[in-house]
Amino acid sequence: MTTVRRAVLTLPAAPLGPDNPLPALRAPAGAGAHAVDARTLAELPRDMARGIGRAPLRSLLPAPVRDGYGRERTPADLDTIVIENDRLRVTVLPGLGGRVHSLHHKPTGRELLYRNPVLQPAAFALNGAWFSGGIEWNIGATGHTTLSCSPLHAATVRAPDGGPMLRLWEWERLRDLPFQVDLWLPEGSDFLYVGVRVRNPHERTVPAYWWSNTAVPEERRVLAPADAAWHHGYERGLNRLPVPVTEDGTDRSYPLNGTHAADFFYDLPEEQRRWIAALDADGHGLVQTSTDALRGRKLFLWGTERGGRRWQEWLTEPGTPGYAEIQAGLARTQLEHLELAGEAEFSWLEAYGPLAADPATAHGDDWAAARADVEHRLETALPRAAVDAAYTAWREGAADAEPETVLAAGSGWGALEVLRGGHVLPGTPFPGSTLGPDQEPWRELLLTGVLPPPPKGAGPGAPLVAAPWRDMLETAPADPTTEYHLGIAQWHAGDRAQAVRSWERGLHRAEVRWPLLYCLAVADREDGHPERAAERFVEAFAEHAERDGGEAVAAALGREGVAALLATGRAARARELWARLPDGVRGGGAFRLLEIRILLAEGRPAEARAVFDEGFEVPDLREGAEILGELWAELTDEPLPDAYEFRMRPGR
């Protein structure tokens, strides 16, 4: 019989550390890596171009940036939930975005996924911390979800066949949408079933995004039922290529044939069954299929050039085999968003399991024959009609079933939204018992019309930006805390001038000034006033330092201030601010990088080179970052050492 139970997994792990205390007023730092240049956009099919241009993020609000982690790993016990029948054992990490860490096929002893032997956060999620391996559930906007390293609610529910099912659910805050992921193993099944539902409880239409990303060993051939794919790389193009052999004669179905990191979004025919598989040299591997609503399929590969290999090493440990990703999403490409109408939903069913194909055919030159063999074997193991029937049974008989045994708790933000909006969401309860300190001021605003001030000397707390909360802030008594939060909500809505006025009003009466000064500094920089922005960053740092308000805030403000001073050519001031940082902060990799920039601005290249030679690591280096190579090139014509080679673009 299928069982669902708690367990513990011990892995070498780098702690997540504290979230960045500054509000995330700007668009995701790595958004450029997923951009498409204007000329390419004009040449795309009209509906694809509309989807790419639909509702881009202006900021990460209300989500926090997660950049408090390092790279020192020690053994850590991670809570897991194990789903098991006589064929499969599935290990889920409810505290880390509901990631499926392992999919073990018991009859063959095969691990079907790439299973990372460490937990190493890196700056790949929209808001920072993310880690590689397993199956991840991405909702929100183009990129890895802000929930990558966050806890989800988890409980057992009755599956369509009456056995136990694991439900994961949360409230996604970038798009203000609740979602659920139901995982179950029918008795005797070789396939993990996953029912997914994204609901829009609002009256307005919202942009919707979903991609299920599965890491697999990169020594595989990836097959999908398509003869063409949309290729996207770090050079920001999007062009349609034949597959598997592209115009340069390279067989792109093998991840290790790619030189540079790239996405291949397969152009599946409209009536084609949706599936993607990754098979080893013996024809064995993983296949993923779904109902037709999950339209897109994609291969992501790191490539064989130095930057891609360095990123692979960065995300795990030296000597660990590399991985590629096979993915499935709501749109044709990850760059598009769909429209989800008010009070509507998107739902579908996915299935993951083993597949054994004829190795000679699967790896032969006849692409049509290889695809046909895989599809035939998939149809034999799990007919398309069976997937459709399982979806119907789940959606009509289990998706709304109420949880039975609670296994893990997520955030209290969903409970706050249910309290405010009176939303009725069968199957995904957000009980008031999950409300915590972050939600308490907002609950009081909702009940009394007054946003309470934070404790004396403390910062203003986590923001909310949705229109109903903004309306409440506009009618609440206008104290500095309310003005701060109102300005953030106005900024998020695109009313930047009004946001600045709110922050300026709050600043006149604020006891704790650094949060408002920081916001005004960001506004100055965005509005083309870099000198004034730098002065306000410095003032915010100084005001905080006088209060001895904690190392995390000092580090965040100091990093912003030094960078702003350097951008305006004030190296001496940057040096002064850098020197005022706590010793433990200055020793961090991000601040060694700032030190190099200061030394270069001071005309001291030999000392800047010495910092490189001594060695340092920037834990939150962003995907696609080229700053290390740019600084190195200012110092020498020598090749960039492997330890600093993270560049991903061809021809850089």
Side-chain angles (χ1 to χ4, degrees), residues 241-331:
L241 300 176
V243 292
V245 180
T246 51
E247 293 160 349
D248 62 358
T250 303
D251 188 339
R252 301 293 181 179
S253 63
Y254 292 93
L256 286 174
N257 282 352
T259 304
H260 300 283
D263 303 322
F264 290 91
F265 300 101
Y266 295 104
D267 197 357
L268 275 61
E270 196 65 35
E271 299 304 318
Q272 171 63 50
R273 181 178 185 180
R274 270 60 176 140
W275 60 266
I276 189 168
L279 306 180
D280 65 17
D282 296 327
H284 291 275
L286 173 76
V287 64
Q288 187 270 2
T289 188
S290 72
T291 49
D292 290 351
L294 202 63
R295 177 183 184 182
R297 292 297 185 275
K298 169 191 163 183
L299 163 64
F300 167 77
L301 56 92
W302 281 105
T304 57
E305 57 92 44
R306 290 200 306 155
R309 304 328 293 174
R310 180 62 175 127
W311 275 117
Q312 293 258 35
E313 184 181 74
W314 186 255
L315 294 170
T316 177
E317 58 186 3
T320 300
Y323 75 96
E325 288 186 356
I326 57 175
Q327 306 181 8
L330 284 173

Side-chain angles (χ1 to χ4, degrees), residues 93-129:
L93 302 173
L96 294 164
R99 182 83 57 102
V100 176
H101 174 73
S102 170
L103 188 59
H104 178 79
H105 188 232
K106 295 160 75 171
T108 61
R110 294 177 182 271
E111 173 59 50
L112 301 180
L113 309 176
Y114 166 77
R115 185 174 56 190
N116 198 332
V118 305
L119 176 62
Q120 177 56 62
F124 279 70
L126 286 164
N127 63 335

Side-chain angles (χ1 to χ4, degrees), residues 562-574:
V562 170
L565 289 167
L566 288 172
T568 55
R570 287 178 276 185
R573 294 279 306 280

Side-chain angles (χ1 to χ4, degrees), residues 449-475:
V450 178
L451 185 70
K456 186 175 178 61
L464 282 175
V465 295
W469 295 105
R470 186 174 72 247
D471 293 343
M472 282 184 265
L473 289 167
E474 287 176 346
T475 58

Side-chain angles (χ1 to χ4, degrees), residues 74 85 89 103 179 195 214 242-243 261-262 272 412 473 484 489 493 525 533 611:
T74 56
N85 66 2
R89 181 168 59 249
L103 188 59
F179 69 96
T214 303
V243 292
Q272 171 63 50
L473 289 167
Y484 165 83
R525 181 162 55 193
V611 178

Side-chain angles (χ1 to χ4, degrees), residues 405-416:
T405 303
V406 174
L407 300 175
S411 76
W413 295 113
L416 186 67

